[in-house]
């Protein structure tokens, strides 16, 4: 059993060493632990710190591409190097390395393929009252979209089995945290959460400049993910509003037509027909989206088998000797 712990980084020179020092060296049930740093176009000495500490792999982006791109690049490198379990943690030392054994335990016991670390949000002093409420609201929205019971959806402390990692797809450029939960729920990938502890924040979050920007982008990410996986249901729901309103106005026109001849109410009839047409168009978009969704599932299956064949082939091949950190450029 091989575990690779990956850490996406963007200008984390000051906190990376502390984060790496906190990671476990041995875990019961795991034969080998390796460490992977994704340098997302940092302009400081993040790469030097990682090399000096002795990480096994570094993925270097020539420019900043965002958390989602960095996460997926790390997943690819971890799979290529034979990881049976992949743990993702943050470089700001928010999460405690001692919780990693607890995080991967459901995967080792084959009880889940994805495990999310649940932070004690209400007891976290670094979160203001507003942020706590918004975190709860966002997690509730993800639960509704994904049909899961994950209480802390934005948590970046999570573990993936090799099987789950092979199936992952992240299409947005913002963050992987929300979309992967929606995907897991809709694709029936076993997912659970475990309670964890957190450290005191060493720096402010860099995911969004303001709280409003974070909420706006998160909601758009959730909505987009839901539209990707359930387009027919989403557009049928949207079609109800113009259709029902159009029918009500149309019934009103019929009432005046049969009681007063309908004079002066032609505008209502035109408006009603327009609303009903809008509702019909929404239904057609939903049907088209559902057809595209079916094709996407076929493509995902093809991608899964292709990735599995490639990465399992690499895993079964003779291991390459490493005398120093292996660096990948993206």
């Amino acid at each position: 059993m091989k575990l690779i712990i990956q850490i996406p980084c963007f200008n984390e020179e000051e906190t990376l060493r502390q984060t790496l020092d906190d990671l476990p060296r041995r875990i019961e049930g795991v034969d080998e632990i390796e460490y992977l740093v994704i340098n997302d176009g940092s302009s400081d000495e993040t790469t030097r710190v990682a090399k000096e500490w002795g990480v096994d792999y570094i993925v270097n982006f020539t420019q900043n591409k965002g958390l989602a791109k960095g996460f997926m690049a790390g997943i690819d490198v971890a799979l290529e190097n034979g990881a049976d379990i992949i743990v993702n943690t943050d470089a700001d030392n928010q999460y405690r390395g001692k919780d990693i054994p607890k995080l991967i335990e459901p995967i080792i016991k084959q009880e889940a393929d994805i495990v999310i670390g649940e932070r004690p949000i209400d007891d976290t002093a670094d979160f203001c009252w507003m942020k706590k409420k918004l975190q709860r609201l966002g997690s509730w929205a993800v639960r509704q979209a994904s049909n899961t019971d994950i209480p802390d959806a934005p948590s970046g402390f999570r573990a993936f089995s090799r099987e789950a990692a092979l199936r992952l797809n992240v299409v947005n450029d913002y963050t992987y945290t929300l979309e992967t939960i929606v995907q897991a729920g809709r694709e029936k990938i076993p997912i659970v959460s475990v309670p964890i502890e957190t450290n005191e924040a060493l720096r402010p979050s860099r995911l969004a400049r303001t709280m409003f920007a974070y909420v706006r982008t998160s909601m758009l990410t959730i909505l987009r993910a839901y539209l990707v996986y359930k387009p027919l249901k989403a557009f049928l729901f949207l079609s109800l509003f113009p259709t029902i309103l159009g029918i009500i106005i149309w019934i009103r026109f019929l009432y005046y037509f049969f009681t007063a001849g309908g004079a002066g109410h032609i505008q209502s009839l035109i408006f009603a027909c327009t609303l009903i047409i809008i509702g019909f168009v929404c239904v057609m978009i939903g049907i088209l989206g559902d057809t595209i969704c079916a094709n996407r599932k076929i493509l995902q299956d093809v991608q899964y088998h292709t990735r599995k064949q490639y990465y399992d082939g690499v895993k079964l091949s003779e291991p390459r000797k490493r005398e120093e950190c292996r660096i990948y450029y993206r």
Side-chain angles (χ1 to χ4, degrees):
M1 182 76 68
K2 182 175 183 178
L3 166 66
I4 292 183
I5 304 173
Q6 70 170 35
I7 310 173
C9 298
F10 178 61
N11 293 333
E12 303 291 358
E13 172 188 7
E14 297 180 359
T15 59
L16 180 57
R17 188 180 299 277
Q18 184 174 344
T19 300
L20 289 167
D21 287 340
D22 191 47
L23 297 179
R25 304 298 184 270
R26 286 184 295 273
I27 297 177
E28 185 177 353
V30 176
D31 302 313
E32 186 178 3
I33 302 177
E34 293 181 340
Y35 309 92
L36 163 66
V37 165
I38 302 103
N39 173 33
D40 190 12
S42 299
S43 58
D44 64 0
E45 297 297 322
T46 295
T47 300
R48 178 184 60 79
V49 171
K51 283 183 179 180
E52 290 178 352
W53 189 87
V55 301
D56 298 277
Y57 315 100
I58 295 177
V59 179
N60 264 328
F61 286 170
T62 54
Q63 65 179 21
N64 182 258
K65 297 184 179 180
L67 184 57
K69 297 285 187 183
F71 169 78
M72 286 306 300
I75 291 292
D76 287 339
V77 170
L79 289 171
E80 182 178 341
N81 286 280
D84 297 295
I85 303 176
I86 303 168
V87 167
N88 188 91
T89 188
D90 288 352
D92 61 359
N93 201 40
Q94 174 186 176
Y95 306 109
R96 297 185 177 182
K98 69 177 184 179
D99 284 327
I100 289 180
K102 183 194 303 185
L103 193 70
I104 66 174
E105 184 177 356
I107 296 178
I108 293 177
K109 291 182 176 180
Q110 297 184 344
E111 297 173 350
D113 283 321
I114 300 177
V115 185
I116 312 295
E118 178 192 351
R119 297 167 294 179
I121 293 176
D122 291 335
D123 298 328
T124 303
D126 299 321
F127 290 177
C128 65
W129 178 85
M130 179 62 71
K131 186 171 184 178
K132 291 177 181 179
K133 296 303 179 183
L134 291 174
Q135 290 274 20
R136 294 297 186 191
L137 177 62
S139 296
W140 174 84
V142 172
R143 288 196 295 273
Q144 303 310 306
S146 63
N147 198 27
T148 65
D149 57 357
I150 301 301
D152 186 11
S155 172
F157 193 52
R158 48 185 66 191
F160 303 87
S161 69
R162 184 175 183 84
E163 184 70 14
L166 285 166
R167 294 188 178 276
L168 285 181
N169 283 294
V170 178
V171 298
N172 80 88
D173 295 328
Y174 177 61
T175 180
Y176 63 91
T177 55
L178 308 179
E179 186 176 347
T180 50
I181 294 177
V182 175
Q183 180 186 357
R186 293 302 171 181
E187 298 295 333
K188 308 299 182 184
I189 300 175
I191 180 172
V192 299
S193 67
V194 296
I196 60 168
E197 299 178 14
T198 56
N199 296 315
E200 185 178 352
L202 299 179
R203 59 161 178 78
S205 173
R206 294 172 179 164
L207 196 56
R209 294 182 179 179
T210 65
M211 187 67 66
F212 173 76
Y214 173 77
V215 172
R216 179 194 62 199
T217 309
S218 296
M219 291 297 104
L220 289 175
T221 300
I222 296 169
L223 177 61
R224 181 180 182 184
Y226 189 80
L227 290 175
V228 167
Y229 292 99
K230 289 292 181 180
L232 182 58
K233 184 176 181 180
F235 281 99
L236 282 177
F237 177 75
L238 290 176
S239 72
L240 291 177
F241 297 99
T243 302
I244 292 175
L245 182 58
I247 290 173
I248 291 173
I249 296 174
W250 185 67
I251 292 173
R252 174 179 176 274
F253 169 79
L254 290 179
Y255 170 79
Y256 283 111
F257 179 81
F258 287 111
T259 58
H265 296 283
I266 298 299
Q267 297 90 337
S268 297
L269 178 61
I270 296 173
F271 185 47
C273 291
T274 301
L275 289 173
I276 293 173
I277 290 172
I278 292 173
F280 179 77
V281 170
C282 286
V283 173
M284 291 297 101
I285 293 174
I287 293 173
L288 180 60
D290 192 59
T291 304
I292 295 173
C293 184
N295 289 330
R296 178 187 53 78
K297 290 180 180 179
I298 295 173
L299 290 174
Q300 280 187 337
D301 286 339
V302 172
Q303 181 193 51
Y304 164 74
H305 289 293
T306 302
R307 295 174 76 184
K308 184 176 178 63
Q309 184 178 15
Y310 172 74
Y311 288 126
D312 286 356
V314 173
K315 182 180 179 180
L316 293 173
S317 63
E318 184 178 349
R320 292 169 289 180
K321 294 182 179 180
R322 289 193 311 275
E323 297 180 355
E324 58 182 17
C325 174
R326 189 180 304 163
I327 300 179
Y328 298 80
Y329 292 95
R330 293 289 188 270

